[in-house]
Amino acid sequence: MTVDTNLHAFFYPDTVAVIGASATLGKVGHTIVANMVEAGFGGKLFPVNPKGGEIEGVPVITDITDLPRGLDLGVISVPPQYVIPTIEALGARGTKSAIVITAGFKEAGKEGYLLEQQIIALCDKYGIALLGPNCLGMMNSAHGVNASFAAGQPNPGSIAFFSQSGALCVAILDWALGANIGFSKFISLGNKAVLDEADMLDYLNKDKETKVILGYIENVEHGDAFLKAARKTCLNKPVIMIKSGTTAAGAKAASSHTGAIAGSDQSYSAAFHQSGVIRVGDVSSLFNLAQAFSNQPLPKGPNLAVVTNSGGPGILTADAADRSCLTMAALSQKTIQRLQEFLPSYAAFYNPVDIIGDADAKRYRQALDVVSEDPMVHSILVLLTPTASVEIEKTAEAVIRMARKCGKPVFACFMGKTRVASARKILMDAGIPCYAFPEPAVHSIEAMYEYYLWKNRSKPEYIEVQRDLEQARAVILEHMRRNQSEIVEFEAQQVLKAYGLPTPKTVLARSSDEAVAAAEEIGYPVVLKIASPDISHKSDVGGVKVNLWNAREVMKTFKSITAQAQRMRRDAYIAGCLVQEMAPPGVKEVIIGFKRDEEFGPMLMFGLGGIYVEIMKDISFRLAPLSRQDAFEIVREIKSYMLLKGLKGEHPVNFSAIEEIIMVMSQLAIDLPEVWEAEFNPVLVNHERAIVADVRMTLHLTD
């Protein structure tokens, strides 16, 4: 991380040099100088070019050594082979920050990657806060800085935006200029050789000019730093992000159910959820939310009131609210009586409040004043369809007056285009988000309410699980010594014992006689499972038999299981069978597992177990370490939660027992970094207890 002083020099420079400045129109080096001049930069600007002369009326310096020492910002736009000596020269003169516009580094292959590593080393040597390479640049309109080669100057505003894609920056900037959206900061991250998303979040969190932070990312290389910065920032101001590449294509092949299901996108969703980042799927939603968060207070409750001059849009809004975490506010009897005093008798006095198509601005104003004063209303959405009699601009003014005095979040949906265009501008200029359709309006209100809940949640509680770490690590180290990547159930039992996990009574039998003796000791009925360090999926070789009720069945089954396994897997060492007590009646099967994500570390999963996990894929995810609240939520997020809660008089399962096992899995994932994947499947749970009936672990072996 770069020190704050250098980041301040980066965003608020008093001295800026453009190395590779050009007098030729259309060249990047010329555009950067022209943009700085047009932005009204009030500091000292130094174009650098060996030819000298003037560019945009600014005298040119012919050599970097003529620049003042302690330069705040150097913008580099020279061919790739000259970037390294340029950074060396700037560093020698004490330059605090730099932007490398030039492409041709790690995105271009091995040689470019090695060049970029040299950039990183030089910036570390000289303490330079560097943006890029391969980026569009950076803008800070309020300070007169446009150190980029983008077309157009962004308006000042309270929204900060950073992006890993320079092309997306150009498109969004052009769109924002047309929509009159302003920015506090506008940053193209490029290759993120030094400065990355975590640095941006850390700085923008403290930036007084920024109310809302937007981001587009393709990957995060330092997951821990990102999570730490995101959690801290989201407690202070909203962070809204798009993550591209949402499929699991290209992910490593995995040997467990967990590994097969847990893809890269799930890890980002979990990271965003646990850090408070609001994730959206498209640019339109990104800026819808940005406008809402930057202009309106957060709803302090879920109750939405709708005032409309048309029944259809009101119904659409109610449907959208029903699909969200919002509720349509139940208006008080006093509110309804006040509405009845001036609305037509055929109006709808309940929420949505339909004031009828012939409503003028006065009727809107009266209805809004009454509804906004209802204490059960937490947010208000005003719908307008451009009927022949409606006073569109005057209604917009009425909405603005109501919003200024009620202190609640107010949104508008003026449907149509041509006739409502001027009213929409009036509303937007006054800070009232205005939408073309009800659904995105409801989505914005929902996102704001969920953020309110996240900010005001209780502090996460983390616990340390009691375990015998030495015993667990001994199992891991022995398998690594033998170069065995799989730890199957009969060997993994020692790890379960080390963590105090509840397991069924289990005995390893190496002969049929031992199996019968074990069954007699455990008590019938029993289960037999093939025990082999070389067989991961026991069902593939018919290696599991249940409901064995007597010695004859146990002896016969032992011989048939071991013989069949040896025939199907001639290379496998067969240690015998595990003899295990049968699950009690009425149990349900769940799966608890984790896969180690390369960017964020261990990602835990929970869902229905057994054969259903890959068919239904009803899974929820969290990143370790899990808090108690995380364990509580991960169980209740799956769609089949009601099956666990109990149907038609069934007892609910013991959720506390499941959550305890999840917390242990989280601790195990942190304790044992050599374990790449682990899976308890199934975990058998009823209303009394939960037991880990089967376990597998996969180690990450290094050469």
Side-chain angles (χ1 to χ4, degrees):
M1 291 290 182
T2 308
V3 293
D4 285 348
T5 52
N6 282 7
L7 274 172
H8 184 77
F10 173 76
F11 282 114
Y12 293 89
D14 291 323
T15 51
V16 176
V18 180
I19 298 90
S22 173
T24 305
L25 287 172
K27 284 199 171 184
V28 171
H30 180 274
T31 303
I32 297 168
V33 176
N35 279 346
M36 288 293 293
V37 172
E38 186 182 348
F41 180 59
K44 294 181 179 180
L45 181 62
F46 304 99
V48 180
N49 188 303
K51 296 179 181 178
E54 283 190 358
I55 301 174
E56 293 292 318
V58 182
V60 174
I61 288 178
T62 58
D63 195 278
I64 292 175
T65 57
D66 294 328
L67 289 171
R69 288 191 171 275
L71 186 77
D72 287 329
L73 174 63
V75 186
I76 301 169
S77 178
V78 298
Q81 64 269 28
Y82 299 118
V83 169
I84 301 300
T86 298
I87 295 175
E88 180 75 63
L90 288 173
R93 299 198 66 75
T95 301
K96 298 170 186 174
S97 67
I99 300 172
V100 177
I101 303 290
T102 310
F105 292 89
K106 73 177 179 183
E107 82 283 359
K110 182 178 179 181
E111 289 186 9
Y113 170 81
L114 295 174
L115 281 175
E116 191 163 313
Q117 292 303 302
Q118 293 182 54
I119 290 175
I120 295 170
L122 284 172
C123 290
D124 183 62
K125 174 182 176 181
Y126 292 110
I128 299 173
L130 181 135
L131 185 70
N134 183 31
C135 72
L136 183 74
M138 176 274 294
M139 308 176 206
N140 179 0
S141 301
H143 193 63
V145 175
N146 186 348
S148 80
F149 64 98
Q153 299 285 342
N155 298 318
S158 60
I159 301 169
F161 176 75
F162 60 78
S163 171
Q164 203 168 334
S165 165
L168 186 65
C169 282
V170 173
I172 287 177
L173 180 61
D174 186 62
W175 177 83
L177 288 169
N180 198 31
I181 294 173
F183 295 96
S184 59
K185 308 290 182 294
F186 198 92
I187 308 134
S188 168
L189 293 173
N191 289 7
K192 303 184 297 185
V194 177
L195 294 176
D196 62 10
E197 302 89 358
D199 296 283
M200 294 300 109
L201 289 172
D202 274 334
Y203 185 84
L204 295 170
N205 181 32
K206 294 171 281 190
D207 182 34
K208 294 180 180 179
E209 294 173 357
T210 298
K211 289 183 181 178
V212 182
I213 301 169
L214 309 183
Y216 165 83
I217 61 171
E218 295 165 1
N219 72 304
V220 169
E221 294 180 2
H222 306 102
D224 288 345
F226 174 83
L227 285 170
K228 181 179 178 182
R231 286 191 185 106
K232 188 175 180 180
T233 303
C234 290
L235 287 171
N236 190 33
K237 55 186 72 172
V239 178
I240 309 164
M241 299 188 77
I242 294 179
K243 163 66 176 73
S244 65
T246 58
T247 68
K252 285 187 175 180
S255 58
S256 69
H257 294 99
T258 305
I261 293 171
S264 173
D265 192 54
Q266 286 91 349
S267 67
Y268 280 92
S269 291
F272 290 165
H273 178 89
Q274 288 173 259
S275 61
V277 172
I278 301 162
R279 184 175 187 177
V280 295
D282 55 77
V283 175
S284 177
S285 297
L286 189 76
F287 282 96
N288 280 343
L289 294 188
Q291 290 174 298
F293 275 101
S294 61
N295 289 296
Q296 292 296 308
L298 296 176
K300 296 182 179 178
N303 297 340
L304 170 66
V306 177
V307 177
T308 178
N309 70 341
S310 178
I315 295 170
L316 289 174
T317 304
D319 288 343
D322 189 58
R323 293 190 295 267
S324 74
C325 69
L326 303 175
T327 56
M328 295 296 288
L331 301 180
S332 69
Q333 194 59 42
K334 179 182 177 182
T335 297
I336 294 169
Q337 289 172 352
R338 290 178 65 190
L339 290 171
Q340 289 173 335
E341 292 173 2
F342 61 87
L343 290 179
S345 60
Y346 47 88
F349 302 101
Y350 301 91
N351 195 15
V353 178
D354 185 356
I355 63 176
I356 308 305
D358 64 352
D360 57 9
K362 179 181 178 182
R363 192 185 296 174
Y364 261 107
R365 184 175 65 251
Q366 289 175 304
L368 290 171
D369 285 344
V370 171
V371 170
S372 66
E373 291 172 4
D374 192 313
M376 291 305 295
V377 171
H378 300 124
S379 57
I380 302 160
L381 176 58
V382 185
L383 304 179
L384 179 145
T385 54
T387 63
S389 57
V390 70
E391 299 171 299
I392 301 175
E393 286 80 8
K394 288 184 178 180
T395 299
E397 296 290 351
V399 173
I400 293 167
R401 283 195 296 270
M402 179 271 296
R404 286 173 177 168
K405 67 181 181 180
C406 79
K408 298 176 181 180
V410 176
F411 302 80
C413 173
F414 279 32
M415 301 182 73
K417 188 166 186 179
T418 303
R419 290 189 60 205
V420 299
S422 60
R424 277 194 193 162
K425 186 176 186 306
I426 290 169
L427 288 163
M428 299 288 278
D429 288 346
I432 308 293
C434 188
Y435 305 85
F437 302 102
E439 292 83 1
V442 171
H443 177 240
S444 294
I445 301 167
E446 178 187 28
M448 293 183 73
Y449 176 56
E450 288 182 332
Y451 178 65
Y452 169 81
L453 292 176
W454 191 87
K455 281 190 71 173
N456 291 278
R457 77 199 191 290
S458 58
K459 187 176 180 180
E461 179 188 357
Y462 296 91
I463 64 168
E464 186 167 344
V465 173
Q466 296 298 313
R467 71 276 193 203
D468 186 339
L469 190 54
E470 185 176 341
Q471 178 182 339
R473 287 202 59 78
V475 176
I476 304 299
L477 293 173
E478 175 60 21
H479 277 73
M480 295 186 74
R481 185 188 67 79
R482 300 198 308 244
N483 204 37
Q484 290 181 327
S485 61
E486 295 286 334
I487 308 179
V488 294
E489 182 184 12
F490 87 97
E491 296 172 305
Q493 286 285 331
Q494 293 302 313
V495 178
L496 299 184
K497 289 179 182 177
Y499 279 84
L501 283 160
T503 59
K505 294 177 183 177
T506 304
V507 176
L508 173 62
R510 300 184 180 276
S511 68
S512 57
D513 289 336
E514 287 184 9
V516 171
E520 300 285 350
E521 178 186 343
I522 291 170
Y524 294 106
V526 295
V527 180
L528 257 63
K529 300 178 180 179
I530 195 69
S532 169
D534 304 311
I535 299 176
S536 299
H537 297 286
K538 294 181 283 291
S539 58
D540 291 349
V541 296
V544 180
K545 300 295 180 182
V546 300
N547 282 320
L548 305 177
W549 284 91
N550 54 55
R552 185 177 64 82
E553 287 184 350
V554 169
M555 182 168 289
K556 180 181 177 182
T557 301
F558 181 95
K559 293 176 180 178
S560 65
I561 282 181
T562 53
Q564 181 169 310
Q566 196 69 76
R567 283 196 307 273
M568 296 181 70
R569 290 288 307 276
R570 296 185 180 279
D571 60 328
Y573 165 68
I574 307 299
C577 287
L578 292 180
V579 184
Q580 202 168 74
E581 69 174 314
M582 276 289 295
V587 297
K588 292 183 170 65
E589 296 186 1
V590 299
I591 181 172
I592 299 168
F594 83 83
K595 178 183 178 182
R596 201 167 295 277
D597 183 81
E598 292 184 350
E599 293 166 340
F600 292 105
M603 179 169 63
L604 276 79
M605 64 169 284
F606 173 81
L608 289 184
I611 63 172
Y612 301 105
V613 59
E614 287 204 49
I615 297 173
M616 297 181 66
K617 289 186 169 61
D618 184 14
I619 307 294
S620 53
F621 298 92
R622 288 291 187 280
L623 296 172
L626 268 65
S627 67
R628 283 199 176 275
Q629 183 66 16
D630 289 325
F632 180 90
E633 291 176 354
I634 195 174
V635 174
R636 288 156 181 83
E637 283 179 6
I638 62 172
K639 297 180 181 68
S640 45
Y641 162 67
M642 293 304 296
L643 294 177
L644 300 177
K645 195 172 181 181
L647 301 173
K648 294 183 178 180
E650 287 183 330
H651 287 293
V653 301
N654 189 329
F655 286 105
S656 295
I658 296 174
E659 291 161 25
E660 289 300 322
I661 294 175
I662 291 171
M663 296 293 288
V664 171
M665 180 66 95
S666 172
Q667 186 69 59
L668 184 151
I670 294 168
D671 287 343
L672 307 175
E674 300 88 355
V675 179
W676 191 255
E677 299 173 18
E679 184 174 281
F680 301 159
N681 182 32
V683 175
L684 304 175
V685 58
N686 61 13
H687 65 285
E688 293 179 334
R689 62 178 182 142
I691 57 175
V692 180
D694 205 345
V695 56
R696 290 181 56 253
M697 297 180 183
T698 304
L699 302 181
H700 180 63
L701 299 177
T702 56
D703 294 333

